[in-house]
Amino acid sequence: MSNATTFKILEDIAKDLSGDQISFPTFLDITFQVRTALKDENLSVEKLAKLVGAEPLMSAKIIRMANSVALNPSGREVADVKSAIVRVGMEAVRTVSFAVAMEQLLKSKQMQPFENLSQKLWEHTSHVAALCRVLARKLARINGDEAMFAGLVHDIGVFYLMSRAANFPEIVADKVALHGLLVGWHDNIGHALLSALGQPESVLTAVQEHETDREVKEIKTLTDVLYVANKIANRSASWREAEFDDAVDTSMLEEIFDAETLAEIVEESQEEVQSLKTALGG
């Protein structure tokens, strides 16, 4: 693939993100509506339930999550969206909306040429999201739902780049060039996309810096949480192709954790991954 093709893809993306309408799959519409609604401090559960209820798949996922073992220890099931939202919390609705959108994107026709990579990316994303929740709760003492959301969208730039690259047969056929495009641009593209979608500054910064190597002595902020979670996940669930790229350097983890603590975090996150997949039906 020529550099001209890479430039054309990036040029198209720049035009897309600077316009009024972003060319992303239509099933993200409800996600953006949920995001906008949640900005309203006076939003009632009734209004949010009505919005979520308009999307059958999201409704089913919210109810499934509310009835999961983690959130329903009493075994008393709920069957309506409003009751489910009360149980899981409004913040969880935002997380589920993005998870549903990403899940649908993976199954879309435009992603078929990247099926194997997409599945690896989703597995990596699930692990990072779960690790973010654990690290936020255990070490950073920050909002676990916000951290999980950041983990869920941290590689949205990769998904977006693949959805746009699908229109260029030459890059679909050139795996080395495609991999280089995804690795080299996904963090900045993800930041730009999430910015265009009006996401919080804390999430934007964390996403933009999640691949930037640096020294972390103590995990305090959302940016720290996402950076470390991404490092841990890359040890067992990396989306990068080993034949095209060097392994991600994760040696900094030894400077933060002893072996026992790291093992505990990974074990706890595995439970979160399974809980997330069960709740989402994955």
Side-chain angles (χ1 to χ4, degrees):
M1 185 189 71
S2 68
N3 289 332
T5 304
T6 301
F7 179 78
K8 181 66 171 68
I9 294 172
L10 295 172
E11 185 179 46
D12 284 354
I13 288 173
K15 289 179 180 178
D16 186 26
L17 295 181
S18 63
D20 294 330
Q21 297 292 327
I22 298 174
S23 303
F24 216 34
T26 54
F27 45 74
L28 275 173
D29 288 349
I30 186 66
T31 296
F32 304 152
Q33 291 177 43
V34 167
R35 169 190 58 80
T36 301
L38 287 171
K39 287 183 176 181
D40 182 1
E41 295 180 357
N42 299 315
L43 177 68
S44 65
V45 173
E46 287 79 9
K47 287 183 179 180
L48 183 58
K50 185 176 181 180
L51 178 60
V52 172
E55 215 296 306
L57 182 59
M58 190 183 302
S59 299
K61 300 290 188 182
I62 291 291
I63 292 172
R64 177 191 284 266
M65 176 176 281
N67 291 323
S68 65
V69 175
L71 294 176
N72 185 29
S74 68
R76 184 176 61 84
E77 293 192 342
V78 296
D80 64 285
V81 175
K82 179 182 174 182
S83 297
I85 291 174
V86 170
R87 182 175 288 177
V88 304
M90 288 189 173
E91 186 68 26
V93 175
R94 181 174 69 148
T95 299
V96 171
S97 69
F98 261 87
V100 169
M102 291 299 99
E103 191 177 45
Q104 289 299 100
L105 177 57
L106 287 176
K107 297 176 181 177
S108 66
K109 184 177 179 181
Q110 68 196 107
M111 284 299 190
Q112 287 179 358
F114 315 117
E115 184 176 4
N116 291 336
L117 179 57
S118 294
Q119 290 300 332
K120 289 176 65 176
L121 182 59
W122 182 237
E123 188 69 18
H124 172 77
T125 297
S126 299
H127 279 78
V128 172
L131 283 160
C132 279
R133 189 179 182 90
V134 173
L135 291 170
R137 185 172 59 234
K138 291 177 72 74
L139 299 176
R141 310 295 187 195
I142 60 176
N143 188 302
D145 288 323
E146 182 184 27
M148 176 171 267
F149 174 73
L152 207 56
V153 301
H154 82 287
D155 274 340
I156 194 173
V158 187
F159 286 107
Y160 182 61
L161 280 164
M162 286 194 292
S163 73
R164 301 308 297 265
N167 298 319
F168 296 83
E170 58 268 47
I171 196 170
V172 174
D174 191 339
K175 293 183 177 180
V176 175
L178 172 65
H179 194 265
L181 175 67
L182 299 180
V183 170
W185 286 91
H186 75 278
D187 46 1
N188 285 325
I189 293 296
H191 174 274
L193 175 60
L194 291 170
S195 178
L197 298 178
Q199 294 308 300
E201 190 62 38
S202 58
V203 173
L204 298 181
T205 301
V207 168
Q208 187 171 39
E209 297 182 5
H210 79 272
E211 297 277 16
T212 305
D213 282 327
R214 57 189 179 275
E215 183 181 17
V216 176
K217 293 184 177 180
E218 190 176 358
I219 301 173
K220 293 182 177 180
T221 66
L222 180 61
T223 300
D224 296 335
V225 166
L226 181 56
Y227 176 67
V228 174
N230 188 55
K231 287 290 188 182
I232 297 174
N234 269 305
R235 287 194 168 182
S236 60
S238 177
W239 61 267
R240 301 189 186 206
E241 299 288 354
E243 60 183 304
F244 304 140
D245 195 15
D246 294 332
V248 175
D249 182 5
T250 61
S251 59
M252 57 81 65
L253 295 175
E254 272 77 39
E255 299 174 10
I256 304 177
F257 307 108
D258 57 57
E260 183 178 353
T261 301
L262 183 57
E264 288 176 358
I265 290 171
V266 170
E267 182 178 359
E268 190 170 340
S269 74
Q270 293 292 349
E271 296 174 4
E272 290 280 359
V273 168
Q274 192 54 48
S275 177
L276 178 64
K277 288 183 176 179
T278 299
L280 297 177

